[in-house]
Amino acid sequence: MSAPDGGPSGAPAASRLRAEGATLGYGETVIARDLDFAVADGAVTSVIGPNGCGKSTLLRALGRLLRPRSGQVVLDGRPIQRTAPRDVARTVAVLPQSPLAPPGLTVGDLVMRGRHPHQSWYRQWSSTDAAAVTEALEMTGVADLADRPLERLSGGQRQRAWISMALAQGTDLLLLDEPTTYLDLAHQIEVLDLVRGLNRDHGRTVVMVLHDLNLAGRYSDLLVAMHDGEIRASGPPDEVLTPDLVADTFGLESKVVPDPVSGSPLVVPIGVRGAGG
């Protein structure tokens, strides 16, 4: 099933990054078929859905980490597979789930790695790179931690450091795969406040995979709901997070009420569909 490409419930037809009829998979396994999805420029979009539905697979394809079996991903009007990886990395930053770093790596060294796409044998480290790293550290609030090893940071600080590295790439498009995984609630809010600030204050377009429906509804301009490799719904949170959608996609009976703080849809679980009681 395809996501709508225009109108109030879908991403705009003119989009810098989009999947067109993309079939995605690993080895002999097909995860998603014929996906159409246009990233909404200037917005925060969250992809939601049960485990194994294709959320992370879609994100990997959008970031040129996975080649579609058929169809294509288009970046700035050109098939992304025809664009050199270094050129893609200057435009799209991808932060995978649970990224790893060598032991002893400091925050500053990590963020400097974000400038690798801008390096070459004829263009070495420059004042432009140094300024980009400084700006990224300041935007994420970790400038005072630049000399501290990653393993000595809290979960929220570590995630902000990784986001800082992605920002140092100097891209307008950020793809974040479950940026709140393994974080406690306070650190989840800390990271999502940062993401929203990067969008509102610095104009970053963000696509992220989230599991928590209520946080997705609060922090996103648009939601994309996936199930069994298909996009079942796409649009503003109050149009996507409905009791019927939650039941059909997650097998969960629920009530959806306004969040008393943000006014966004708040999913209140009742029970698993089909369970007795």
Side-chain angles (χ1 to χ4, degrees):
M1 182 175 180
S2 300
D5 279 342
S9 296
S15 172
R16 295 187 62 197
L17 181 62
R18 58 193 296 122
E20 298 178 343
T23 294
L24 310 172
Y26 306 95
E28 299 298 321
T29 303
V30 173
I31 303 297
R33 295 184 183 276
D34 301 324
L35 287 181
D36 292 327
F37 171 58
V39 174
D41 295 335
V44 176
T45 300
S46 289
V47 185
I48 59 174
N51 291 337
C53 70
K55 303 183 300 295
S56 296
T57 300
L58 172 60
L59 209 70
R60 286 174 57 82
L62 292 173
R64 201 187 182 280
L65 302 179
L66 179 67
R67 178 187 291 271
R69 298 186 175 198
S70 62
Q72 63 181 354
V73 172
V74 176
L75 174 63
D76 288 333
R78 181 181 181 184
I80 201 169
Q81 294 298 333
R82 299 180 188 173
T83 305
R86 183 181 295 271
D87 292 336
V88 173
R90 292 172 180 167
T91 307
V92 181
V94 183
L95 184 60
Q97 182 183 354
S98 304
L100 299 175
L105 190 73
T106 67
V107 171
D109 289 337
L110 174 70
V111 178
M112 289 172 64
R113 293 185 176 203
R115 298 303 297 169
H116 285 179
H118 301 273
Q119 307 297 312
S120 66
W121 67 270
Y122 60 85
R123 186 197 180 282
Q124 300 301 312
W125 190 262
S126 69
S127 59
T128 300
D129 298 314
V133 168
T134 298
E135 182 182 21
L137 289 167
E138 291 175 348
M139 287 170 64
T140 56
V142 293
D144 59 334
L145 304 174
D147 296 326
R148 188 175 299 183
L150 285 175
E151 58 262 31
R152 291 177 53 191
L153 302 182
S154 70
Q157 290 173 329
R158 190 178 302 115
Q159 198 68 329
R160 282 192 284 137
W162 281 105
I163 293 174
S164 185
M165 184 196 72
L167 291 176
Q169 288 182 225
T171 69
D172 296 326
L173 294 162
L174 297 177
L175 308 182
L176 311 177
D177 191 359
E178 299 190 33
T180 59
T181 298
Y182 306 129
L183 299 182
D184 61 36
L185 183 57
H187 286 132
Q188 290 180 45
I189 298 300
E190 174 187 359
V191 168
L192 292 175
D193 280 341
L194 168 62
V195 170
R196 183 165 59 184
L198 293 174
N199 169 256
R200 300 289 191 269
D201 301 332
H202 300 280
R204 296 303 200 275
T205 295
V206 180
V207 181
M208 57 184 173
V209 171
L210 286 181
H211 274 294
D212 190 305
L213 300 183
N214 294 327
L215 291 180
R218 175 180 287 198
Y219 284 94
S220 307
D221 300 304
L222 296 167
L223 297 182
V224 175
M226 295 189 66
H227 183 71
D228 286 342
E230 298 181 347
I231 295 177
R232 296 293 179 88
S234 176
D238 58 354
E239 294 182 10
V240 172
L241 286 181
T242 65
D244 287 343
L245 184 283
V246 173
D248 292 341
T249 303
F250 295 91
L252 182 68
E253 301 292 346
S254 67
K255 288 187 178 295
V256 179
V257 299
D259 186 311
V261 175
S262 66
S264 59
L266 184 69
V267 178
V268 182
I270 297 174
V272 177
R273 172 185 275 188

